[in-house]
Amino acid sequence: MSATAAAGRSEGPDLGDLPSWDLSDLYPGPDSPAVARDLDRSETEAKAFRERYAGHVDDLSGAALGRAVAEFERIDEMLSRLAAYSYLVYSGDMTDPGIARFYQSIQERVNAVSAHLLFFRLEINQLDDAVLRDRMQAPELRRYAPWIENVRMFRRHQLSDELERLLHEKYVVGHSAWNRLFDETIAGLSFRIDGRDMGMSEALNRFSDRSSDKRREAALEVGRVLSANVRTFALVTNTLAKDKEIEDKWRDFPRPVSSRNLSNQVEDEVVDALVTAVKGAYPDLSHRYYRLKARWFGSDRLDYWDRNAPLPGDDDRTIPWSEARDIVLSAYRRFSPELADVGTRFFDRPWIDAAVRPGKAPGAYAHPTVSGAHPYLLLNYQGKTRDVMTLAHELGHGVHQVLAAKQGHLLSDTPLTLAETASVFGEMLTFRSLLDAERDPARRRVMLAGKVEDMLNTVVRQIAFFDFEQRVHTERRTGELTPERLGEIWLATQAESLGPALRFDDNYRHFWAYIPHFIHSPFYVYAYAFGDCLVNSLYAVYQNAADGFAGRYLEMLAAGGTLRHGELLAPFGLDASDPAFWQKGLGVIAGLIDELEHEAG
């Protein structure tokens, strides 16, 4: 059982040497004495913390409470390091029984230890507002004011100490266990395409193959495999939706999305305005673009497997890893040498795992680990232009996490709405850099169309996912949804969002089943649309700004979780609570489609 992924070359096009991560900056290995030492130490210190402070938080002075928060932070960071390490090892091979056992064992132990710390947040929430305001005058506590404000946001939704402890202790055999079942089921799926077996990431990559026959073959096989496993996916989805409904009812959240909005520090009304604006723009954005794409393919309609097909005239060349690295870093450097210098660390050090491997987690992510270490990036790089954009996206997350880490463990996290800002901005920098360097009109059209498709996937498709979740969670309150009913909701939301130029068949009805956000982070997906519209507006400010924009941008990233979205955006003259804000962001996408229509004649 190794914590270091094997480097190498993926099957298929020559991508060069793909990097693998080395997790030894966290721990030397799963069997390392350091892992056992930190487990034992964290338990000892958590118990001592409970003995010292449980039932006495109300008696602490401001300075003493500040010191208690600092001690809590140190123990919680130790636990977070253990949890992050076990998840990264698990992501490398979710099908290995030994690794799965290690991951589950660490999760259970961390959960048990953190139960000793649970009282602290609960007692902070029981403090009187006036008393807390007075104690906040102490510098030791004032530093943690944003974290305390975040904790107290959930005050009115807090349950009794006994119920909170019960929910906490049952997590590893409840929500977490269902997440693990989903992950291991997805990682274990095998798709027989083009005469060989492959995993989910490689199968989905075939949807952007130049050959229509290969795209169709991949679509039919993905549909077949998902259909064969849909009962498991439906069970997981129904169980977690019901679990969320029960807890939301106990905590008095009015809507399924309300707890997500609260944790994102954004009002229900702001999210409603975003969703309404995007859905209202479906005809002007996705419907119009896919009608245009169908014309380029000489048809009135596109089969769903052609949605991400390369355009006629796209050379669809393979981009080796070294070139992808240079493309992204040069775009970052053109904007800010400091941004590029931070990004370079990920390539110069073993912080990225890029190759496609059997059993490896599909998709891509940036894991912040803990502020005392550094982030790691997981990719499934296959040499497409979209893979380069994914690298730019995840590197944006990673750079953001590095810059925010100086705030410390409790203050480095940002709400999901702003967590997507640096990632989408990194994509935009990379795209604009490539477009500015391109002189061939046909190639520029291909690049513009590719960017539009990426933006539609980030905005329209994610809001359609959000709509699917809303309908599923709402309907689940009246009873379990059959796989057939889940498929009907999926097809309805997809047809509504993508428009009449897309043709769906029954094989597509179970494609909801592989989307991990539905399972891991309900209602996360609107954060992508939030981030894209925000970045569109932010980039417009950048294009018209005098010197100093890059500095303000880096300050925004470095603020971590110390400021709210209104405070972070104010230096740029942006206000996400203004309904017109979303129209500006969507107008950027519409303008690119206008340009494509004009060129098409």
Side-chain angles (χ1 to χ4, degrees):
M1 182 170 58
S2 172
T4 303
R9 295 170 178 258
S10 293
E11 286 191 57
D14 185 7
L15 304 175
D17 291 325
L18 296 173
S20 59
W21 59 28
D22 181 350
L23 303 179
S24 60
D25 285 348
L26 296 173
Y27 291 99
D31 299 325
S32 165
V35 172
R37 180 200 65 212
D38 278 1
L39 285 169
D40 292 341
R41 179 183 165 197
S42 63
E43 182 173 12
T44 299
E45 294 187 4
K47 287 180 177 178
F49 184 85
R50 186 188 62 191
E51 286 294 318
R52 186 157 51 252
Y53 295 115
H56 303 298
V57 171
D58 190 34
D59 302 326
L60 299 176
S61 67
L65 182 53
R67 289 191 293 271
V69 175
E71 187 176 348
F72 171 88
E73 179 178 42
R74 183 177 52 76
I75 301 171
D76 193 66
E77 180 165 355
M78 197 186 323
L79 293 170
S80 297
R81 178 183 286 260
L82 287 160
Y85 176 71
S86 68
Y87 183 73
L88 292 170
V89 172
Y90 179 58
S91 292
D93 188 351
M94 292 179 162
T95 60
D96 184 299
I99 289 176
R101 181 179 183 278
F102 170 73
Y103 167 69
Q104 182 65 17
S105 297
I106 295 295
Q107 296 301 308
E108 290 179 5
R109 185 80 181 274
V110 166
N111 188 72
V113 172
S114 60
H116 298 299
L117 305 174
L118 185 62
F119 78 91
F120 193 56
R121 282 187 169 97
L122 303 182
E123 291 194 28
I124 286 175
N125 279 348
Q126 291 164 7
L127 293 174
D128 180 79
D129 287 337
V131 170
L132 186 59
R133 270 196 306 272
D134 180 63
R135 294 178 186 174
M136 276 293 181
Q137 302 309 307
E140 296 91 339
L141 186 59
R142 193 184 311 127
R143 158 174 163 67
Y144 293 104
W147 178 76
I148 289 176
E149 184 179 345
N150 291 345
V151 169
R152 287 172 71 85
M153 284 193 313
F154 289 87
R155 189 179 181 188
R156 66 177 293 265
H157 303 288
Q158 184 171 298
L159 305 177
S160 69
D161 292 4
E162 292 78 11
L163 280 176
E164 291 288 356
R165 187 179 179 93
L166 174 66
L167 289 173
H168 180 87
E169 292 187 0
K170 283 177 62 66
Y171 178 79
V172 291
V173 293
H175 186 276
S176 179
W178 289 102
N179 273 256
R180 180 182 168 192
L181 174 60
F182 172 85
D183 287 341
E184 293 187 9
T185 301
I186 286 288
L189 295 181
S190 180
F191 304 87
R192 187 73 176 173
I193 300 173
D194 199 21
R196 64 183 183 87
D197 295 327
M198 61 184 67
M200 175 65 78
S201 291
E202 201 172 354
L204 293 177
N205 186 58
R206 292 301 181 100
F207 283 53
S208 57
D209 195 280
R210 173 158 298 284
S211 167
S212 177
D213 289 341
K214 289 184 177 181
R215 295 193 299 270
R216 180 177 182 276
E217 180 191 14
L220 295 179
E221 177 66 357
V222 169
R224 183 192 69 79
V225 173
L226 292 178
S227 179
N229 291 273
V230 73
R231 288 173 61 85
T232 297
F233 292 123
L235 175 62
V236 172
T237 299
N238 273 289
T239 301
L240 289 175
K242 187 64 178 179
D243 178 73
K244 187 178 190 311
E245 178 202 346
I246 293 169
E247 186 164 340
D248 282 352
K249 188 183 300 182
W250 276 86
R251 295 191 183 280
D252 196 29
F253 283 113
R255 298 161 56 186
V257 72
S258 295
S259 60
R260 171 65 64 195
N261 293 346
L262 187 61
S263 66
N264 279 349
Q265 302 164 21
V266 63
E267 300 78 13
D268 286 358
E269 295 75 19
V270 172
V271 177
D272 290 344
L274 165 65
V275 173
T276 299
V278 174
K279 293 183 73 172
Y282 282 171
D284 192 41
L285 299 181
S286 46
H287 296 192
R288 187 161 60 113
Y289 174 75
Y290 290 121
R291 189 164 58 243
L292 180 62
K293 184 169 185 176
R295 281 171 48 198
W296 288 333
F297 277 78
S299 177
D300 293 330
R301 304 184 74 190
L302 293 170
D303 290 305
Y304 67 88
W305 54 77
D306 291 331
R307 185 173 59 85
N308 288 326
L311 292 182
D314 186 350
D315 59 13
D316 196 29
R317 71 182 184 90
T318 297
I319 302 171
W321 175 258
S322 60
E323 184 179 347
R325 172 190 185 278
D326 292 344
I327 288 171
V328 174
L329 287 180
S330 64
Y332 275 43
R333 189 167 300 282
R334 190 172 292 109
F335 171 73
S336 163
E338 182 181 348
L339 194 73
D341 288 344
V342 177
T344 300
R345 296 185 210 169
F346 286 82
F347 298 92
D348 290 349
R349 304 171 189 179
W351 295 0
I352 303 176
D353 192 76
V356 177
R357 294 189 306 274
K360 180 179 173 180
Y365 65 71
H367 198 304
T369 69
V370 291
S371 59
H374 58 79
Y376 284 96
L377 307 186
L378 180 141
L379 305 169
N380 281 276
Y381 187 81
Q382 297 178 73
K384 303 287 188 182
T385 301
R386 280 194 174 91
D387 292 310
V388 178
M389 291 301 167
T390 298
L391 172 60
H393 180 103
E394 299 304 338
L395 189 65
H397 278 308
V399 169
H400 190 179
Q401 291 158 358
V402 168
L403 293 172
K406 70 177 184 181
Q407 301 293 346
H409 177 63
L410 295 181
L411 296 174
S412 56
D413 279 348
T414 56
L416 290 181
T417 43
L418 289 173
E420 292 300 333
T421 301
S423 54
V424 178
F425 197 81
E427 284 187 73
M428 182 66 85
L429 289 174
T430 304
F431 165 71
R432 289 293 179 182
S433 177
L434 289 171
L435 187 67
D436 290 346
E438 184 59 62
R439 294 291 175 262
D440 179 57
R443 181 62 189 158
R444 283 178 62 87
R445 186 196 73 167
V446 167
M447 293 174 67
L448 277 173
K451 183 57 179 174
V452 167
E453 292 189 11
D454 287 344
M455 294 170 109
L456 293 179
N457 284 335
T458 303
V459 177
V460 169
R461 188 160 165 79
Q462 300 304 322
I463 292 302
F465 286 176
F466 178 81
D467 191 21
F468 172 80
E469 287 187 281
Q470 290 265 58
R471 298 188 195 188
V472 168
H473 281 261
T474 300
E475 194 166 317
R476 181 66 181 90
R477 295 185 171 193
T478 62
E480 185 166 288
L481 284 74
T482 64
E484 291 72 22
R485 179 56 186 152
L486 288 165
E488 289 170 0
I489 298 173
W490 172 254
L491 288 174
T493 56
Q494 295 302 293
E496 179 185 354
S497 62
L498 299 177
L502 264 292
R503 180 167 43 233
F504 303 102
D505 60 26
D506 199 58
N507 187 69
Y508 187 67
R509 69 167 46 246
H510 300 311
F511 272 54
W512 57 269
Y514 76 85
I515 311 243
H517 300 81
F518 297 159
I519 306 304
H520 296 160
S521 309
F523 302 105
Y524 178 106
V525 290
Y526 77 73
Y528 290 113
F530 193 111
D532 195 274
C533 288
L534 190 158
V535 165
N536 288 342
S537 298
L538 196 62
Y539 198 85
V541 174
Y542 165 54
Q543 288 179 308
N544 298 314
D547 292 341
F549 179 92
R552 282 180 285 149
Y553 177 76
L554 293 178
E555 287 175 4
M556 179 181 74
L557 300 187
T562 62
L563 299 173
R564 300 290 181 266
H565 67 78
E567 298 169 302
L568 290 168
L569 296 178
F572 305 97
L574 299 176
D575 180 6
S577 66
D578 181 356
F581 174 83
W582 305 115
Q583 297 298 338
K584 293 177 185 175
L586 297 172
V588 172
I589 309 175
L592 293 177
I593 299 173
D594 290 343
E595 188 173 341
L596 287 169
E597 283 188 329
H598 177 74
E599 290 184 7

